[in-house]
Amino acid sequence: MRVLIVGGGRLGANVARSLLAEGHDIVIIERNVTLCEELGSKLDALFIVGVGASPPILERAGVREADVVVAVTDSDEKNMIVCLLAKNFGVKRCIARIRHPEYYDPSSLLTRNQLPIDRVVNPEQLAVQAMERLIYTKGALEAAELADGRILVVEFLVPPDSPMHGCSMVRLQQMVPGKFLLAAIHRGDEVIIPSGNVVVEKGDRIYVIIPRESLQPFVQKLHREVQPITNVAIHGATSMGIGLAKRLAAHGTRVTLIDEDPERCVQAGMELDRVTILRGSCMNLDVLDELRLQHYQVFCSLLDDDAANLMSALLAKERGVGKTIIHMSEPDFAPVAERHGIDSAINPSVLAQGTIVWMVRAGQIVSLIPLYDLRAEVQELVAAAGSRIVEKPLASLTELIPADARIGAIVRPTGIEIAGGASVIAPGDRVIVFATTAALPHLRDLFHVPGTVAS
C-alpha cells in the first residue's frame, strides 16, 4: 500500500516507522530541511521537502498514486486543506489529526459530511478517554476498548496483598466468577505467555482481555478492598485537564482543578460546571498541603511540561494520594516515571500513532491496541470464509498458532465468547487476538484465505 504522510514531526515519523515495518511504501512531505535529513538517515522512505498544502508539492509526492493520505502537521487548518486537495486528486482515504473540537463536534457548523476527511484523530481526546478508563478501574496501569467497548484490554499491577498472588491460571479461573483471558505477564525484564501451570506473583504486570461486565468481579478479586472514586485532583487547566474534568464531573465525581495561570483558570471556569478551580501550582508545597491530597484517590498532572508533571506527581504521592497519572510527551521518559512510582504516564502521540496505523490498515483489522512495553499488539481480526482459522476447534490448531500468540475472545452479534480449546470460529466472526510483534504476521495469515492478499 502506498501511504503519503504530510508532516514529519514525531507523530508522522512514528506512523511511518510502524507502516514501513509492515512493508508499506511511504512518502513523507516535510517543510523542514534539517528534519528531512535527520529522518532520511533513519527511515527508508521517500522525502519531499515542501509545504503539503501545496498542489504542486502533492503532485511531486505522487498523490495521485496514493492509497491513503495522512495529514499530521501541527495545524488543523493545513491538515484539512491537505485532505481537501487529496480528495480532489482522487485519493480514496484521508486521515487527519484535528485537535480543535469546533471542527468535528456534532454542534459544529462544519458537519462530518462537509469535511473532506474520512477519519479524524484527536490525540488529546484519546488521552482523556484513556485516563477516564484508568481512573475508574482500580489498579489499572493501561486500559483500552475493543469490540465497540464490549471487550477491555487492561494492564494491572498485582499488589503485594492481592488474593491472586501465588495463583495458577486454573486457580484464577475458579476464583473469578466472570470470563477473562490472561494474555501476558510482564515480570521484571521477562515477558511470559502464560500456560495452565504459570503462577501470578505480587509485583507482576498482567495483561487481561475481559468482557466489560466481568471487569468489576475481576478487580474485586485482584484487590482486598475496592473504594469508589469520589475525589480527583487535576493539575493543569490545559485542553486535556479541562476535558478530563468535564468527563469526571459528568460521572458525579468531585473534581478540583489547579493551575497557576489566571487566564487558564478563567477559561476553565467558563467551560466547567460543578468543578472547584484553584489558582496555584502543585510544585508549591503550601498548595499541596492546602489541598490535603490524602483525601484524593487520584492525582493527574496534565501540564505541557514533562518535568513539572513528574515532580508534582511524586510530591502528590509523598502526601498520600492513591493513584497518579501524568501527561508525558516524551515516550522514552515513561519507564523512568513508572520506576519512580508513577502509576500511569499517558502519551497522546503514542495513542494517536496506534489509532492512525489501524486506520491505514483498515480491511481485515477492525481495531488494534499496541503494547509497546511487550513489543506486542492486541488486534481485532475478521475471520475470512475458507481461512485456516475457521470451522475447527481451537485445540486442533495448536501447531498453527504461534507460541507467542493467544486467541482471546470471539465476538458475535449474539454475544462474546472467551476462547477455549473447544471454541470454533465461524466465517465473519470478529476475533480478539494477542501476539508479539514477531508472531503477528503468522497469526494474521491464519485469518486469510491462502493465495489472497491481506489488507
Side-chain angles (χ1 to χ4, degrees), residues 92-233:
K92 290 182 180 178
R93 280 197 290 150
C94 293
I95 301 166
R97 172 171 63 183
I98 303 292
R99 286 195 167 101
H100 297 293
E102 58 263 30
Y103 288 132
Y104 59 83
D105 269 357
S107 58
S108 170
L109 291 175
L110 286 172
T111 67
R112 288 295 297 273
N113 291 332
Q114 292 171 316
L115 288 172
I117 305 170
D118 297 292
R119 304 301 293 260
V120 168
V121 177
N122 182 335
E124 288 73 24
Q125 186 180 60
L126 292 172
V128 166
Q129 292 168 350
M131 287 185 281
E132 181 184 14
R133 288 191 292 266
L134 291 175
I135 287 169
Y136 292 116
T137 308
K138 183 175 175 61
L141 305 177
E142 302 287 344
E145 299 178 349
L146 291 170
D148 306 317
R150 290 183 289 164
I151 290 279
L152 301 176
V153 180
V154 189
E155 177 191 2
F156 290 104
L157 178 68
V158 180
D161 62 345
S162 173
M164 289 188 182
H165 169 63
C167 289
S168 67
M169 287 281 291
V170 174
R171 175 69 185 122
L172 286 179
Q173 295 288 356
Q174 296 169 344
M175 189 172 143
V176 180
K179 296 286 189 178
F180 68 93
L181 177 78
L182 182 57
I185 299 173
H186 197 177
R187 182 177 297 161
D189 294 329
E190 185 182 11
V191 176
I192 302 167
I193 308 300
S195 58
N197 58 354
V198 170
V199 171
V200 172
E201 298 179 2
K202 61 185 177 183
D204 282 350
R205 293 163 61 186
I206 59 175
Y207 292 80
V208 180
I209 299 172
I210 188 166
R212 183 178 288 276
E213 63 270 16
S214 300
L215 179 63
Q216 284 311 310
F218 186 92
V219 171
Q220 287 165 359
K221 293 297 182 181
L222 178 66
H223 297 274
R224 294 198 179 277
E225 187 177 359
V226 179
Q227 297 289 341
I229 300 298
T230 55
N231 293 297
V232 175

